[in-house]
Amino acid sequence: MKLRLIAALAAVFLLAACTQAADTTTTVGGTPTTADGGVTTTADTGGTTAPAGETTTTGATEPGDGLLAEVQARGSVRCGINEAVPGFGFLEADGTRSGFDIDFCRAVAAAIFGDPEAVEFVPLTAQQRFTALQAGEIDVLIRNTTYTASRDGGEGATFLSTTFYDGQGMMVRADSGFTVMEDLANTAICVLSGTTTELNLATRFVDIPYEPLTFDENDVLQEAFVAGQCDGWTSDKSQLAGVRSAFPEGPDALVIMEETFSKEPLGPAVRDGDSQWAQIIDWVVNVTIIAEELGLESGNVDTFADTENLEIRRLLGLEIVSDEGTTIFDAGLGLEPGWPADVITAVGNYGEIFNRNVGPDTPLALERELNALWTEGGLIYAPPFR
Amino acid sequence: MTPARPPFWRNVKVLRAVIQIIALVGVGLVVYVLFFNVTNNLRARGIRTDFEFLDQPFGVRIAGSDLSPGAPVRAALINGVKNTLALTVVGLPLLTILGVLVGVGRLSANWLVSKVATVYVEILRNLPPLLLIVFAFQGVILRLPPARSPATPFGWFVISNLETHVPGFRAGAGYAAFISAVGLALAIGAFVWWWRTRVQQETGAPHHRWAWSLGLVAVVGVIAYLVIGRPVTITLPVLTGRVVDGGFRGLGAFFAVMGALVLYTSSHVAEIVRGSIQAVPKGQTEAASALALSGFQRLRFVVLPQALRVALPPMINQYLNYVKNTSLAIVVGFAEVTLIAFQAIGNGQPAPQVIITLMAAYLMFSLVISLIINVFNRRLRVVTR
C-alpha cells in the first residue's frame, strides 16, 4: 500500500531527525541506566529478611534521561498492538480494544502511572511493527510477535519475557477433508506477509508444491479464504483459534489441523539500548506470573494488608518490620514501591489475563497447556521478586 | 573611454557564480547531515547500513514463481520487478486504446455515446484507485468459482478466483529457426511499409501498407511453419485433480490490479484526448469537410494526428501514474516489487536500504517510460512537412 511506503519513508526520516541526545542513551550498551539512581535497596542480600541499613526512599523515581522519564513526562505509554486478532489484540465494534496483548499494555501503564488507561494504542501491521519500534513511534511492542534471534539482533529490538508459548498450525475448511499437510499439495495457502509464519511455511512445505498468497491485512486474507481462493490458512494456532471463533459461517466450518510445525514464543519487545525500560516491561510480565503463583487476584489484592508472607508484602509495597527498622521493598526499577499492586488490581494475574481473553470460557477456548504455571507442568515461570 | 570596471562584488557574473556555489554548499551540507544522521542512528541501534542483504536468502516462496525459498533477496526483487513489468506491458496499451476511444466518444455527436463516455470518465476518475482495486478483487475476482472447483468453459479455459488458464503454445523442435524466419519477415515487412509510403508520396497511388506488410509476414510465417514442421504446438489447459497442465496462466490478483488501474487511468487519458482534440483549430475540421472527407477520415487523417501530438506530453504523466499505482497491488497480495520489498522488510531485511532499492526500481521504470515517450515526441514533432 502506498500508505505503507510513506510510513516507512517517514520512519527513515525520523531516524535521521533523531537528536544527538537520543544517540547517547542508545549507545550505552551493556551498562544499565538504573545505576545512576542510587536508590536501590539490595535485592541480592540473600535470606528472607529485608535489607539492613539504609531505608528505602519512597519517591524512588528520580527522573533520568531514559525512556521511562520520557514516558512519565508524556503521561502515557505508546504501545504497538494488533487490532485484527480476536483474543490477542482486537478492535471491538464499539471502539474498545480487548485482548491478551492489550491487557499487558494496560499492565505497563498501571505499573508506571497507576492508571491502566494511560496507554496510547498504536495499531500496526506485521510489516510496520519493527520500523515503528526503531523509529521511536512506540515505546513497547506487544503485538503477538515471535521472539527470534535475527529479530533480537538485526531489528534493533530487545525481546523480553515470553507471555504466550504458541506454535504454528494450518486451518482448512471442515468439508475439504484435508487432515495432514501433504493433502494441501498443489493448493494455494494464505499467509500474512512479514511474519515468521511465512518463513515456517516455506520450511515446512519445502517438498510440497503450493502457491503462497501473501496479504498484509488479516481482513483481506479472510475474504480470500472465505471465497476459497486459498485452501489453507496458516498462522499461530492461537490466532487461528481467534479467527475460527469469529468466522462468519460459524467455528464448525473450519478445522485446525493437528500438526504444530514451529515454536512461536510471543512476547513484548522494546528498542535496544535502554535497559531500565526493558527491565520494567520484563518485570511487569513477571509480576503477573508471580501473582498467580501467590494466589493474588484483581479481586482479592487489597485483602492482603496483614499477610505474613514476605514475598506478598514485598510485591504489594507493604511495610516490612525487622530488627533494623521498618522498610518498604523497592526493587530499584525506577517505579513507586508497590506498583505490582496497581498492575494486579488493573488487569489481574497471568491466569486471569489468559482466561479473560483466550481461556476455555472465551470463544477461542484455548487450554493453558504450555502456558500453565511451571508448578502445573507449563512453561510460565518468573524469577523471584526480591 | 571604457567605463571603469565595477568592483568584483558588484560584478553580475561573479555574484551569480558565488550564489550558485553557496547554494551548492548548502544543499551538500543538508544531504551530508541527513546521511550522517541516518547512518549514525542506524549504527547506534545496531542496524546494518550496507547492501549485503541483497545476497541473503529471501526465505519465502513467491506466488506465481518457481523461485525457491533459498533464492537471494536480489532474485526475489527482480521477480517483483518482472511482475510490475507484466502489469505495465499489458496495461499501458490497453489503457491507451480505451482512453482514446472514450475520449473520442465524449465528443461524439451521438447523444448516447457521448453521455456514456461522460459517465465513464466522471465515475472512474473520481474514485481512489485503491478502492477500485479492492472492489475488483473482492467484488469481481473473488466471486469467481473457488480454487477447489474451477470452471472449465468449452474445455479451453480453466477459471477460478485463484488463477485463470488460457490456451497457450509450447515451443517444439525448430522453434528458434521459426522465430528467426518470422523476425526476418518482420524486418522485410518494415522495409515494404517504408517503400509503399514512398510510392504513395511520389505517385499518389494508395499505399495499402497494412495489406502489403502483414500479408508478407503472414505468408512467410505460414511457409516457415510448414517447412520446419510444427515448431510450436497450441496447448489447452487440462485440469487433473488440482494440477493444471498446459496453456498460459494469470493470477486472479493480477487481473484485479490490472483491470482496476486500466479503467482508472484510461478515464484520465480520455480527458487528455478530449482536450487535445478540442485544441485542434476548428478550421482544420472544416477544411477536411470541404475536401469531402468522411467523418472517420476527418478523425483519422486530420484531427487525431494533430491532437495526439498535443496529448503525448501529458500522457507520460498518466503512464507514470499507472506504474506507480501498481504498488497498490500489495493490498490484494499480487507479488509486484513493492510487496516483495515490504515482505523483505517484514522478514528482517534493513528497511532503509530496501526502500532505497525500491525507489531505484521505480525511478528506473519512470525514466525508461519517459525516455521512450520523449523519443516518440521528438519524432512526431519533426514530421511537419
Side-chain angles (χ1 to χ4, degrees):
Chain A
M1 217 150 96
K2 212 171 223 169
L3 206 75
R4 211 126 300 153
L5 185 68
I6 295 167
L9 275 180
V12 172
F13 285 116
L14 265 175
L15 281 175
C18 278
T19 57
Q20 218 58 32
D23 243 357
T24 46
T25 56
T26 53
T27 44
V28 169
T31 22
T33 39
T34 39
D36 58 9
V39 291
T40 44
T41 52
T42 48
D44 50 343
T45 40
T48 47
T49 50
E54 71 178 62
T55 39
T56 46
T57 50
T58 36
T61 43
E62 239 167 72
D65 54 355
L67 189 50
L68 176 62
E70 198 186 316
V71 168
Q72 281 171 333
R74 194 192 308 131
S76 68
V77 185
R78 287 179 307 192
C79 196
I81 46 108
N82 199 332
E83 54 181 7
V85 177
F88 282 83
F90 194 68
L91 185 60
E92 305 284 354
D94 61 2
T96 57
R97 296 182 188 279
S98 68
F100 189 82
D101 289 342
I102 306 290
D103 278 352
F104 277 103
C105 288
R106 295 209 166 106
V108 172
I112 297 173
F113 302 107
D115 174 12
E117 298 307 317
V119 194
E120 192 188 320
F121 291 109
V122 182
L124 297 169
T125 67
Q127 291 172 343
Q128 292 169 325
R129 54 189 164 181
F130 289 109
T131 320
L133 185 66
Q134 288 158 9
E137 283 174 44
I138 53 172
D139 303 318
V140 56
L141 177 71
I142 313 185
R143 190 202 170 283
N144 46 328
T145 303
T146 305
Y147 182 176
T148 72
S150 65
R151 286 176 170 178
D152 220 13
E155 296 278 14
T158 298
F159 278 84
L160 306 166
S161 301
T162 297
T163 52
F164 195 96
Y165 291 92
D166 210 338
Q168 186 174 342
M170 178 76 71
M171 184 162 68
V172 295
R173 300 189 70 89
D175 56 20
S176 67
F178 295 152
T179 50
V180 293
M181 297 297 161
E182 280 67 20
D183 291 342
L184 283 158
N186 299 312
T187 65
I189 294 167
C190 282
V191 60
L192 215 53
S193 77
T195 56
T196 47
T197 319
E198 197 182 7
L199 300 165
N200 296 328
L201 174 71
T203 311
R204 177 62 185 84
F205 277 64
V206 70
D207 295 325
I208 307 174
Y210 72 105
E211 197 76 74
L213 298 184
T214 54
F215 295 90
D216 69 339
E217 303 275 1
N218 253 338
D219 307 344
V220 189
L221 192 154
Q222 177 152 341
E223 287 290 335
F225 183 75
V226 170
Q229 202 183 25
C230 45
D231 287 87
W233 180 346
T234 183
S235 186
D236 296 350
K237 279 189 161 177
S238 61
Q239 283 195 46
L240 292 179
V243 171
R244 182 169 174 267
S245 71
F247 197 65
E249 296 168 42
D252 294 333
L254 304 176
V255 285
I256 298 173
M257 287 186 178
E258 192 69 37
E259 181 177 338
T260 301
F261 53 88
S262 75
K263 293 188 287 188
E264 306 285 336
L266 312 178
V270 296
R271 251 188 315 291
D272 275 347
D274 191 335
S275 41
Q276 182 194 24
W277 180 249
Q279 286 157 358
I280 289 171
I281 308 294
D282 230 355
W283 278 98
V284 169
V285 175
N286 288 338
V287 153
T288 62
I289 297 170
I290 296 166
E292 187 178 10
E293 287 174 11
L294 296 174
L296 295 174
E297 291 171 7
S298 53
N300 69 9
V301 66
D302 48 1
T303 63
F304 286 86
D306 301 325
T307 180
E308 302 277 301
N309 184 329
L310 283 179
E311 194 160 12
I312 295 180
R313 294 196 78 88
R314 280 195 296 271
L315 203 63
L316 300 184
L318 302 170
E319 286 174 343
I320 295 169
V321 183
S322 70
D323 300 346
E324 322 286 333
T326 307
T327 56
I328 289 177
F329 177 76
D330 178 5
L333 293 166
L335 301 173
E336 295 281 344
W339 60 269
D342 293 330
V343 170
I344 299 163
T345 310
V347 298
N349 64 35
Y350 182 88
E352 284 180 82
I353 297 173
F354 188 99
N355 288 331
R356 184 182 327 128
N357 295 299
V358 298
D361 298 333
T362 65
L364 274 75
L366 295 178
E367 294 297 329
R368 288 289 289 267
E369 294 174 5
L370 284 179
N371 297 299
L373 283 184
W374 60 286
T375 49
E376 287 154 25
L379 294 174
I380 297 297
Y381 182 101
F385 195 81
R386 57 166 53 253
Chain B
M1 175 187 139
T2 52
R5 285 171 63 86
F8 72 89
W9 62 85
R10 296 189 56 194
N11 185 332
V12 175
K13 275 187 186 164
V14 173
L15 281 180
R16 272 189 198 141
V18 167
I19 288 172
Q20 301 245 357
I21 290 171
I22 290 174
L24 185 69
V25 170
V27 171
L29 267 180
V30 169
V31 170
Y32 175 75
V33 167
L34 282 179
F35 178 77
F36 182 78
N37 241 328
V38 169
T39 46
N40 235 18
N41 280 301
L42 288 175
R43 207 171 304 133
R45 284 164 170 74
I47 302 167
R48 303 184 58 161
T49 50
D50 53 41
F51 279 82
E52 273 176 32
F53 73 93
L54 287 172
D55 296 320
Q56 299 287 318
F58 185 59
V60 300
R61 288 197 45 197
I62 300 168
S65 136
D66 295 329
L67 229 50
S68 81
V73 174
R74 184 194 310 277
L77 283 171
I78 289 173
N79 192 285
V81 168
K82 277 185 193 160
N83 281 337
T84 304
L85 193 67
L87 281 173
T88 309
V89 168
V90 179
L92 292 192
L94 279 180
L95 74 90
T96 310
I97 295 168
L98 203 56
V100 171
L101 286 180
V102 175
V104 170
R106 277 206 77 176
L107 294 171
S108 167
N110 184 321
W111 184 86
L112 187 64
V113 170
S114 104
K115 286 300 172 245
V116 166
T118 306
V119 169
Y120 178 94
V121 167
E122 291 304 336
I123 288 182
L124 286 174
R125 78 168 173 172
N126 289 314
L127 288 174
L130 178 64
L131 197 70
L132 286 171
I133 291 176
V134 172
F135 175 76
F137 182 70
Q138 298 196 357
V140 181
I141 298 295
L142 287 187
R143 300 280 83 82
L144 294 171
R148 57 181 176 272
S149 53
T152 53
F154 318 117
W156 283 41
F157 305 93
V158 178
I159 297 173
S160 74
N161 55 16
L162 173 63
E163 54 194 7
T164 294
H165 296 260
V166 296
F169 62 82
R170 188 179 290 139
Y175 179 68
F178 177 69
I179 285 297
S180 7
V182 173
L184 191 67
L186 279 173
I188 299 172
F191 176 76
V192 169
W193 178 285
W194 172 82
W195 167 64
R196 289 308 302 171
T197 312
R198 276 200 55 160
V199 166
Q200 189 208 18
Q201 282 167 14
E202 283 167 7
T203 66
H207 52 67
H208 296 308
R209 299 185 286 215
W210 285 104
W212 277 83
S213 314
L214 285 185
L216 182 99
V217 174
V219 168
V220 173
V222 168
I223 293 175
Y225 185 85
L226 295 175
V227 168
I228 297 170
R230 296 177 73 86
V232 283
T233 15
I234 306 287
T235 59
L236 295 179
V238 178
L239 180 71
T240 38
R242 276 310 186 75
V243 190
V244 178
D245 205 28
F248 291 145
R249 74 166 202 163
L251 289 171
F254 173 87
F255 294 111
V257 176
M258 202 264 298
L261 286 181
V262 161
L263 291 180
Y264 174 75
T265 317
S266 68
S267 67
H268 290 260
V269 170
E271 282 300 90
I272 292 174
V273 169
R274 179 180 65 91
S276 311
I277 289 177
Q278 287 178 332
V280 176
K282 206 160 186 270
Q284 295 281 329
T285 328
E286 289 167 356
S289 302
L291 288 173
L293 295 185
S294 73
F296 175 75
Q297 284 172 327
R298 279 207 300 271
L299 202 60
R300 165 70 185 82
F301 296 108
V302 178
V303 178
L304 275 188
Q306 299 181 71
L308 291 183
R309 201 171 295 163
V310 181
L312 210 48
M315 290 281 265
I316 298 183
N317 282 333
Q318 297 308 325
Y319 290 161
L320 298 189
N321 278 345
Y322 176 89
V323 173
K324 286 180 282 186
N325 281 340
T326 57
S327 61
L328 296 171
I330 195 168
V331 288
V332 296
F334 180 66
E336 43 70 62
V337 65
T338 308
L339 186 138
I340 302 283
F342 284 120
Q343 224 176 347
I345 293 174
N347 289 331
Q349 309 300 346
Q353 291 97 305
V354 174
I355 296 284
I356 288 171
T357 316
L358 185 62
M359 291 200 289
Y362 278 108
L363 192 64
M364 183 197 74
F365 266 110
S366 298
L367 290 180
V368 167
I369 289 176
S370 296
L371 183 78
I372 294 172
I373 307 287
N374 279 329
V375 166
F376 258 105
N377 202 13
R378 204 160 303 143
R379 272 193 51 114
L380 280 183
R381 224 181 299 148
V382 294
V383 203
T384 39
R385 308 190 273 272

